[in-house]
Structure formats: C-alpha cells, structure tokens
Amino acid sequence: MARIEHAKTQNPQVATLTFWGGVGTVTGSKYLIETKNSRVLIDCGLFQGLKELRDRNWQAPPFDPTTIDAVVLTHAHTDHVGYLPALVKNGFKGEVYCTRATAELARIILEDSAELQEEEADWRNKKGLTDHHPALPLYDRNDVRKTLKLFRPQKGGTEGFQAASDIRVQWWPAGHMLGARSLRVEVSGAGAQGQQRSILFSGDVGRWDQPVLKDPVTPPPADYVLVESTYGDRLHEDEDPRAALAEVIRDAHARNAPVLIPAFSVGRTQDILYHIRELEDAGEIPIIPVRADSPMAAEATQVYLKMIEEHDDDTREITQRKRNPLRTKSMGFSSSREESKRINEETGARVIVSAGGMMTGGRILHHARLLVPNPEATLCFVGFQAAGTTGRRILDGEPEIKIFKEAIPVRCRIKKIGGFSGHADYRELLNWLEPLAKVAPRQVYITHGEPEAALAMQGHIQERFGWNVSVPAYGDVIELR
C-alpha cells in the first residue's frame, strides 16, 4: 500500500495502475486503477499453486477494500473471482460488474468454493490434520451471499458502461469460457494535463473454433495493454484433441479400465462432454458410462445451455434441433457426496470427469487416491497445470504425491491432451494482438504467466511488433501519463 501512496503523493494528478496479482504466476488476478476520484479493481482472483502464493490469500489485503468503488470481472474462473468474498469480508461494499453469464457462473463457483472450504476445515479439524486450531475457511457461505448482492450484470459491448465517475468500460468476447470478455477501460483525466488514457486488459484469451463459444475478438487499440501469457513460451500440439480423446476412450474400453479426467467444473467439463457426445454421434467411440462428478459442473452446464447469446453458430444449430449438445448417451452428474462415493464402487470401462482441474482440491482427489496407484487406470490431463499443483507434480514425473497428507504412489497411465486448452498459445496471442499494430500502444505489460512464459511472451511481442514491453512484479505501480 505504501508504494501506491508514495506514487500518488509525487504525482497527485496522475492516475495509476497497480499489479496486485496475475504477475509472476497464472493466478490471483487483481489490477487496481486509481484516479483522483475513483478506485476500481479489475478482477479479484484467488492465488493457487505454490504455498507462498496461496499464503497471500490469508494475508491482509494490500489495499483498503473499503475504498474500492467497483470491481470489473473479465470472467468467472476462481483465479479471477475467487477472492471476492474475502474482499467483502474485509469491508468492500461497491458494485461488481460483469456479463450476465459471468454473474451466473461466479455465483456457482463462489458458493462451491465456500462450501468446499467449510467442509475441508471441518474435515481437517476432525482428523487433526491442521497446523491451526481450529482450521477456518478463508470465507464462508454467508460471505458469498453478501457478495452476490453486489453483482450488477451489464450488457456492455462496444457501447460500454460507467464503472466509476471517470472510468468507462467496454468489452469484447475473449473466447476463454462462457461470458469471458477482454476489457478496454477509458480513464478520464488520467494524465498530468488531464488527458484521457485507455487500458486494454486481455483477460484470458481463448482459442478459435472451440465448442459452444464465439471466437475471441480483439478490442480497438489502447494506450496501455495487459496481455496474458499462460502459454507465452509454447505452442499447442498439433494433435486433434477430439481424436486423442477418442483414442483414450477406445483404449479404456478395450482394457475394461477407468479414465479419470481432472477438469474445471466450468468450461473444461462442458468441452469434454461436448466432444464425447460428438464422438458418440459419429460412431467413433463405444458407449461407456460417463460420470461428471461435480455439483458445480451440473449447475454450470445448465447455465451453458440457457445462455444462448453466448453460443457460436454450431451450438445454436444443435439446440435449434432440440438436441442437448452437452449430454452423452450414458452419463450422469453426481451432486451429493453419496453419489460421488458410489462412482468409486463402479468397475469396468468408464470416464470420470471430476473437479478440480489442477488437482489442488475437490472431489478429484478422492478418485485420484484410488486410481492413481492403479496401473490399469488412465489419468488424462486436458488443461494447464500450474507450478506447485498436484497435477503438475504428476506430469513432471514425481513417483509419489500426497493426497490428504497420505503418500500415494503414481502407477497409473498418464496422458496429456494439449488441444483442449482454454488459453491461446503465443502464436495465437500474437495474432490476437495484430490489430493493435495500427496504433502502437505506449506500453505493453505481460501478465498471468509463470516467469519463463512471461519473459518468452515479452520477447515474441518485441520481435514481432517492436513495442515497449515489460514484465511487472507483484505490487508494481505504473503512472498512466
């Protein structure tokens, strides 16, 4: 906080942007815009992965939540919205702006997050598996209820809306998940001479030609650009994800063995179900049981089906034929704990899609505890695994992992399908940035990537466009001159 106050004291007429998350890591996105009159936070995510990052969630906020006028969300994933109830718990009473789909999905994600935290705290207290006495959740369901009352869904689009008296927001589809948007923020009176300044927040940029969602759209040029770099150091594999998934399922059927897919309940689970349904319709895979083990995934799937304004042309065409594009021929959602436990009593070939996507928590851990030691089982990763997560440790070849403080040997078959990623790779990100070359930004900032990926993305942009590009650190302040 002192760094911001110092910057404001030196230049009281200049608006600032501070990086309080989403830098040096792919999680915890929080970007604070401060003007003479307003303070607006772009995204409010939880830190995940490495313990040193997760510990930030439990520290006092680095800014005063009571002084924040509004929060604007790019999308509903936990690393962009998961800290909101903690912000409210610490005194935030402003408004939360987002798309209608983001509001619906954020409600599901935050309610689930609070319930899981409460359950885990209770479980650790009963088992004595805690360094704190008693173990407490970061926030509870009451905090979430208070948070949801602050949501103000907007139509947005190119017409935009006022997030504060001197801060106006426009948005365009980002293609990352249902309701995801890239934001272009206009800040009035930002510079020392009262100039207007614009900031473009990429949010998480998705891929083109993905199920259900419209393709990403690049907003108009801006003075400052923040671009994500989750895959800033790599290109997606050329393999067809649908064909790779078909191969995994056919192999499991032939061996009469289970497939466990860690997948975020919102976004990735729906992608997997869409592809399995298409493969079944095309006769490319046998019909085997599919279990989506997540109450949140079940509820999110209903949101995906009803948000027709977010659908691409292919999905609209399927729904117009009164078909459910997200339902396979032999599937079921597990909502209760009892239903989840019964999944582990099943035998034979089956697909279990379970939260969470990086194996840091959720029901996936209960399934993994039984299936990861099984040489016949296949653990199939379909998304990015951040440093420090259980999923990353398995992908990195560690022979043993810990689940609920129990050592679990890794003996299962491991498959990674890269084509399901919800993030653009660096070539796709460069193509997304291309329209901005008409009017070069004053400065580009690389965000939402691990250090190697962020530095690589910096080099790619400098080489392609010759722009001024830097990689900010946690707590860095820039003046919007």
Side-chain angles (χ1 to χ4, degrees):
M1 188 66 188
R3 301 179 71 177
I4 294 179
E5 294 298 327
H6 178 71
K8 299 289 279 185
T9 301
Q10 292 295 317
N11 295 282
Q13 301 303 312
V14 179
T16 60
L17 172 67
T18 308
F19 299 86
W20 287 125
V23 286
T25 174
V26 297
T27 68
S29 292
K30 298 181 193 72
Y31 311 105
L32 180 61
I33 302 172
E34 294 182 279
T35 72
K36 297 187 291 289
N37 306 310
S38 309
R39 303 179 93 202
V40 171
L41 194 64
I42 306 298
D43 282 342
C44 190
L46 271 183
F47 287 100
Q48 299 166 300
L50 298 171
K51 186 177 185 301
E52 64 193 67
L53 294 174
R54 289 184 280 113
D55 284 347
R56 289 179 183 170
N57 297 324
W58 296 89
Q59 297 167 2
F63 47 82
D64 183 355
T66 66
T67 66
I68 304 298
D69 297 292
V71 178
V72 183
L73 303 176
T74 60
H75 64 283
H77 276 147
T78 302
D79 54 342
H80 292 258
V81 305
Y83 190 77
L84 270 173
L87 195 75
V88 171
K89 190 175 182 179
N90 280 281
F92 171 69
K93 291 182 171 62
E95 297 178 312
V96 180
Y97 297 108
C98 58
T99 64
R100 191 167 72 101
T102 294
E104 290 265 2
L105 294 175
R107 173 186 60 80
I108 296 168
I109 286 172
L110 294 177
E111 288 176 347
D112 184 76
S113 174
E115 183 176 359
L116 287 174
Q117 289 185 60
E118 291 177 11
E119 288 178 357
E120 183 171 353
D122 289 344
W123 185 83
R124 288 183 179 278
N125 286 327
K126 289 176 183 177
K127 299 291 184 179
L129 299 175
T130 175
D131 296 326
H132 306 278
H133 301 283
L136 297 172
L138 179 64
Y139 51 79
D140 59 25
R141 280 170 278 194
N142 186 52
D143 297 315
V144 171
R145 282 191 286 271
K146 293 177 182 176
T147 301
L148 296 176
K149 292 178 181 178
L150 305 177
F151 273 68
R152 304 290 184 269
Q154 302 291 309
K155 290 185 178 179
T158 56
E159 65 271 21
F161 60 91
Q162 291 294 138
S165 61
D166 48 7
I167 295 177
R168 186 167 184 80
V169 179
Q170 300 167 290
W171 57 40
W172 284 259
H176 176 65
M177 70 176 298
L178 199 78
R181 296 294 186 267
S182 298
L183 311 180
R184 188 178 185 277
V185 180
E186 294 181 348
V187 184
S188 301
Q193 281 72 50
Q195 312 97 314
Q196 177 175 286
R197 292 292 180 235
S198 56
I199 316 169
L200 171 55
F201 297 85
S202 73
D204 285 353
V205 179
R207 308 193 67 194
W208 282 252
D209 300 319
Q210 295 301 294
V212 182
L213 305 176
K214 297 175 182 177
D215 288 342
V217 176
T218 308
D223 297 310
Y224 301 91
V225 174
L226 279 67
V227 62
E228 68 124 318
S229 58
T230 305
Y231 281 85
D233 59 346
R234 73 201 80 175
L235 297 173
H236 291 306
E237 299 169 10
D238 290 333
E239 72 174 342
D240 177 359
R242 175 174 148 161
L245 180 62
E247 181 182 346
V248 169
I249 293 173
R250 286 194 296 264
D251 175 69
H253 178 261
R255 294 185 296 103
N256 200 34
V259 176
L260 178 61
I261 303 178
F264 293 115
S265 298
V266 183
R268 196 56 42 78
T269 293
Q270 289 73 34
D271 288 349
I272 296 300
L273 296 179
Y274 184 99
H275 281 292
I276 294 177
R277 191 267 312 159
E278 281 213 321
L279 289 166
E280 289 180 346
D281 288 351
E284 297 179 35
I285 58 172
I287 308 300
I288 65 174
V290 176
R291 306 289 180 248
D293 186 20
S294 166
M296 181 164 56
E299 198 171 354
T301 298
Q302 294 307 308
V303 175
Y304 262 68
L305 292 172
K306 79 176 184 178
M307 292 291 172
I308 299 173
E309 70 270 22
E310 298 282 342
H311 293 176
D312 63 11
D313 292 341
D314 290 341
T315 304
R316 288 191 182 193
E317 191 272 332
I318 294 170
T319 54
Q320 284 170 358
R321 289 190 279 118
K322 308 301 182 184
R323 293 283 314 281
N324 184 337
L326 302 177
R327 185 167 189 85
T328 74
K329 289 184 171 64
S330 177
M331 72 169 289
F333 282 98
S334 299
S335 295
S336 69
R337 289 191 216 175
E338 291 70 27
E339 290 171 333
S340 178
K341 290 176 182 177
R342 282 198 290 271
I343 291 175
N344 286 327
E345 297 172 2
E346 296 179 339
T347 59
R350 60 201 186 278
V351 175
I352 304 169
V353 185
S354 184
M358 296 185 190
M359 302 181 69
T360 55
R363 293 183 176 181
I364 187 69
L365 296 181
H366 295 278
H367 301 301
R369 182 171 170 269
L370 295 177
L371 295 180
V372 166
N374 180 356
E376 291 301 308
T378 299
L379 179 60
C380 182
F381 291 102
V382 293
F384 183 79
Q385 304 297 308
T389 62
T390 301
R392 179 66 164 266
R393 291 190 179 99
I394 293 174
L395 276 180
D396 286 345
E398 292 192 17
E400 186 177 272
I401 57 171
K402 280 195 173 182
I403 297 179
F404 305 130
K405 295 195 173 183
E406 178 184 353
I408 304 294
V410 180
R411 301 193 187 105
C412 63
R413 301 168 184 234
I414 298 168
K415 173 69 176 177
K416 182 177 184 296
I417 304 177
F420 281 115
S421 174
H423 291 269
D425 62 23
Y426 77 75
R427 182 184 295 142
E428 291 166 325
L429 285 170
L430 291 173
N431 291 338
W432 184 85
L433 289 167
E434 182 70 39
L436 305 181
K438 298 173 184 176
V439 182
R442 296 163 65 93
Q443 185 70 39
V444 176
Y445 297 96
I446 308 300
T447 62
H448 216 265
E450 293 178 5
E452 298 82 1
L455 288 171
M457 193 70 219
Q458 177 186 31
H460 293 312
I461 293 175
Q462 288 172 333
E463 181 180 1
R464 173 91 165 255
F465 302 111
W467 295 341
N468 296 320
V469 188
S470 60
V471 180
Y474 182 78
D476 277 357
V477 183
I478 64 166
E479 296 181 343
L480 307 175
R481 294 179 175 276

